[in-house]
Amino acid sequence: MKDSYDLIVIGGGPGGYEAAIRAGQLGMSVACIEKRVYKGEPALGGTCLNVGCIPSKALLDSSHRYEATKHELAEHGISTGDVAIDVPQMIERKEAIVKQLTGGVAMLLKGNGVEWLQGWGTLLDGKGDGKKVKFTALEDESETTITAKYVILATGSVPIAIPVAKVDEAYIVDSTGALDFTEVPKRLGIIGAGVIGLELGSVWRRLGSEVVIFEALPELLAVADKDIAKEAGKLLKKQGLDIRVDTKVTNAEVKDGQVVVTSQKGDASTDETFDKLIVCVGRRAYAEKLLGDNSGIQLTERGLVEVDEQCKTNLDGVYAIGDLVRGPMLAHKAMEEGMMAVERIHGEKPQVNYDTIINVIYTHPEIAWVGLTEQQAAEQGYEVKTGSFNLAANGRALAQSEAQGSIKVVADAKTDRLLGMHAVSVGAGDIVHQGMIAMEFVSSIEDLQLMTFAHPTISEAVHEAALSADGRAIHAIQRKKRK
Ligand code: FAD
Ligand code: NAD
């Protein structure tokens, strides 16, 4: 460890490690402080690689393969005999992927000359040129004060805890515990039908759990476009997820090895028993031990670090990024902010476009969107035109037995400019990248209509959705007036 660096990054999640690597590429002397210990080993990669994006996607993939093998191969004329799931093996595969990726990040830091300091970072004083950071080593808890010209705070987030359902790690778990079940719970309760509830609920339902999801809000996926949310809700319920909206959990306690959950809908209160209960009601910024009494950093009322559009805090040369600051809690948003902060330190002028951050929910089919929903566009005063196309009429989707869901485009009727793309479909997460690129290039609906999309692809549904905005889709009866 040196006494002083050009840049100290506190937090080695996707925001922090990507910032550190970029700074290394630009020739800065960089330390990245990360305190995480995962399964007994110090680990980089943050929530995303250890207990978030990647392990959840590994389980989503295993469970999808299991379900597809068990229920979907017969129609292709493929017989399989008995299909069984070995949960410990599935978890072992997930762990191997996590290890490979977090080990890869350690190599990338090293390869870019970044020093990984294993322990806690605390910004003691962020004012002036020699910013003071306390490093508390994991190994022996020794404390050292180091200085840097610049500091990036990237300490991420943790699950929100609720008093009515206290996590005990055995029966009542948060998202981290739900990635490590050793057997399939017969009955699984979930509080919160948000992204985690739907993704992890899907994993365990596919493997055989009877899943009940309690959602306090009156609507499912309140943040998504209403048509897409409605369609996604129908598909997920058809798959067997028992989603109870407008229902609050008022108590959860463990009795005789089972979780008794009391929920309330209107005036009716119900008790139900589950083998496990997952609490996933959102995440909150995490700033434990991050700021000393004289750090000088300003926080928002919600405990986020206050930043501007370029992730600058109130102190010159101190930036904050990712889940610790305003905006969606997404890995790709954290990464781009990390890159922006470092390049700004280096004197360049990049800007994250917050209007084109993509959301993906990795259910099957996926639910994804970019830009404005029809409702948001109307609220913002646009004269809105929309077009959509149902996957039931897409040849490739039919050929793949994936003919469910739809793709929708939202545009400004006056200028024809694309404002948003929304999809519930196989590969929706990849599909809406077309919308993101189109929006970045200020494309119109007409641009999408005039491009040649390959046949047969799911992407043709994007073309047809754009055509349908003007009543011109070919593979659907058009009720709209044709242009
Ligand atoms: P983090 O990844 O949380 O990293 C912060 C790091 O800082 C942590 O490792 C922590 O140990 C460390 N740290 C904290 N305090 C200190 C300190 N004082 N000193 C030293 N180190 C410290 N997002 C997506 O975009 N796609 C997905 O598919 C997706 N799936 C998810 C699934 C689950 C189950 C969960 C829980 C989250 C998921 N997310 C997903 C969200 C994503 O994980 C986060 O948005 C992302 O990890 C945020 O990155 P970050 O760098 O800001 O913070
Ligand atoms: P979320 O905000 O997506 O959903 C939480 C849900 O819980 C909401 O629908 C909310 O209305 C509901 N809720 C809140 N309190 C409740 C209560 N007391 N009883 C019943 N319902 C209640 O949060 P999450 O699912 O915990 O995920 C946290 C964050 O992690 C997400 O916001 C997202 O940014 C990130 N994440 C992203 C992905 C992805 O990109 N695919 C996957 C997982 C997590």
Side-chain angles (χ1 to χ4, degrees):
M1 184 183 6
K2 297 189 212 159
D3 296 339
S4 128
Y5 295 86
D6 291 331
L7 172 67
I8 294 176
V9 181
I10 306 182
Y17 83 69
E18 215 170 288
I21 290 172
R22 184 72 189 116
Q25 287 174 350
L26 291 170
M28 298 182 207
S29 64
V30 193
C32 179
I33 307 181
E34 170 59 64
K35 52 91 180 161
R36 182 177 293 270
V37 176
Y38 181 72
K39 311 263 157 154
E41 298 283 334
L44 289 161
T47 304
C48 177
L49 298 196
N50 292 281
V51 292
C53 327
I54 298 301
S56 59
K57 266 77 251 176
L59 299 189
L60 277 157
D61 187 70
S62 297
S63 58
H64 178 63
R65 284 170 195 262
Y66 171 75
E67 185 173 54
T69 308
K70 197 160 171 157
H71 301 295
E72 292 167 19
L73 290 185
E75 71 160 318
H76 296 265
I78 303 168
S79 51
T80 55
D82 281 348
V83 179
I85 181 75
D86 177 344
V87 175
Q89 167 57 32
M90 176 181 78
I91 300 291
E92 208 177 300
R93 169 184 174 272
K94 174 211 53 151
E95 295 303 352
I97 294 164
V98 169
K99 206 166 173 190
Q100 184 177 343
L101 282 173
T102 56
V105 172
M107 273 167 51
L108 285 171
L109 289 198
K110 209 171 165 195
N112 283 286
V114 177
E115 237 181 289
W116 170 16
L117 305 182
Q118 297 177 354
W120 293 80
T122 307
L123 181 67
L124 296 178
D125 186 353
K127 297 173 282 295
D129 283 345
K131 299 173 196 319
K132 290 198 185 87
V133 172
K134 179 173 79 179
F135 167 62
T136 309
L138 273 179
E139 198 181 36
D140 55 7
E141 293 186 7
S142 61
E143 294 180 356
T144 316
T145 300
I146 45 181
T147 60
K149 284 189 216 143
Y150 301 97
V151 175
I152 296 180
L153 309 174
T155 50
S157 65
V158 288
I160 290 175
I162 48 173
V164 292
K166 290 201 184 86
V167 168
D168 66 4
E169 311 287 358
Y171 299 97
I172 306 179
V173 300
D174 58 19
S175 57
T176 301
L179 294 168
D180 269 343
F181 290 156
T182 49
E183 56 187 346
V184 179
K186 198 160 174 302
R187 292 203 83 221
L188 173 63
I190 299 180
I191 310 182
V195 197
I196 295 181
L198 296 180
E199 288 186 0
L200 294 182
S202 294
V203 165
W204 296 104
R205 181 205 57 76
R206 290 171 191 168
L207 299 178
S209 287
E210 199 182 309
V211 177
V212 176
I213 311 186
F214 302 96
E215 168 58 51
L217 290 179
E219 284 170 74
L220 178 66
L221 293 172
V223 288
D225 183 274
K226 283 202 187 322
D227 289 340
I228 296 292
K230 204 168 149 196
E231 198 166 1
K234 266 195 214 154
L235 288 170
L236 293 170
K237 282 179 197 162
K238 204 168 136 204
Q239 291 172 3
L241 286 180
D242 182 355
I243 304 170
R244 317 231 181 116
V245 293
D246 219 355
T247 307
K248 286 199 180 80
V249 170
T250 51
N251 194 40
E253 53 190 286
V254 179
K255 275 189 199 150
D256 305 325
Q258 299 262 291
V259 193
V260 181
V261 173
T262 309
S263 64
Q264 182 127 16
K265 180 162 182 143
D267 293 334
S269 177
T270 316
D271 278 0
E272 272 168 285
T273 304
F274 296 95
D275 298 285
K276 300 271 185 192
L277 177 68
I278 308 174
V279 183
C280 44
V281 294
R283 295 177 65 82
R284 62 172 175 84
Y286 179 78
E288 190 118 351
K289 299 191 198 171
L290 176 65
L291 303 172
D293 294 341
N294 298 316
S295 72
I297 288 287
Q298 215 164 302
L299 298 177
T300 68
E301 272 172 17
R302 293 176 48 217
L304 301 164
V305 171
E306 181 100 55
V307 287
D308 67 8
E309 283 269 292
Q310 287 86 41
C311 292
K312 284 193 259 172
T313 67
N314 59 308
L315 299 180
D316 263 358
V318 182
Y319 291 73
I321 60 169
D323 285 7
L324 185 62
V325 304
R326 84 281 171 273
M329 290 185 165
L330 296 171
H332 42 287
K333 177 254 190 191
M335 291 177 184
E336 287 309 307
E337 287 185 335
M339 202 101 88
M340 171 171 72
V342 167
E343 291 180 354
R344 289 212 159 239
I345 288 170
H346 193 246
E348 292 150 44
K349 302 275 179 236
Q351 173 63 54
V352 171
N353 183 356
Y354 290 100
D355 293 337
T356 57
I357 304 272
I358 291 175
N359 276 280
V360 187
I361 306 177
Y362 295 85
T363 46
H364 191 90
E366 291 176 356
I367 306 156
W369 65 93
V370 62
L372 299 181
T373 63
E374 182 178 349
Q375 299 72 39
Q376 287 167 334
E379 274 162 25
Q380 292 187 17
Y382 286 102
E383 191 185 312
V384 183
K385 78 171 177 184
T386 65
S388 57
F389 192 76
N390 201 304
L391 270 290
N394 175 283
R396 183 66 184 280
L398 275 161
Q400 291 178 194
S401 299
E402 296 285 4
Q404 49 182 352
S406 63
I407 293 174
K408 174 172 175 178
V409 290
V410 175
D412 177 356
K414 280 195 183 138
T415 61
D416 202 40
R417 181 176 159 193
L418 180 69
L419 300 173
M421 189 178 286
H422 308 263
V424 49
S425 75
V426 61
D430 288 307
I431 289 288
V432 299
H433 279 74
Q434 301 178 28
M436 187 258 288
I437 295 169
M439 284 171 65
E440 288 286 354
F441 287 98
V442 200
S443 302
S444 63
I445 288 289
E446 188 184 25
D447 288 327
L448 291 174
Q449 291 171 345
L450 290 173
M451 291 173 194
T452 307
F453 286 68
H455 177 75
T457 58
I458 305 292
S459 293
E460 280 180 292
V462 172
H463 193 208
E464 293 268 26
L467 288 168
S468 95
D470 290 320
R472 294 181 42 198
I474 299 297
H475 297 92
I477 307 295
Q478 299 290 276
R479 291 198 179 83
K480 218 177 248 182
K481 203 166 151 244
R482 256 155 257 167
K483 209 173 110 182

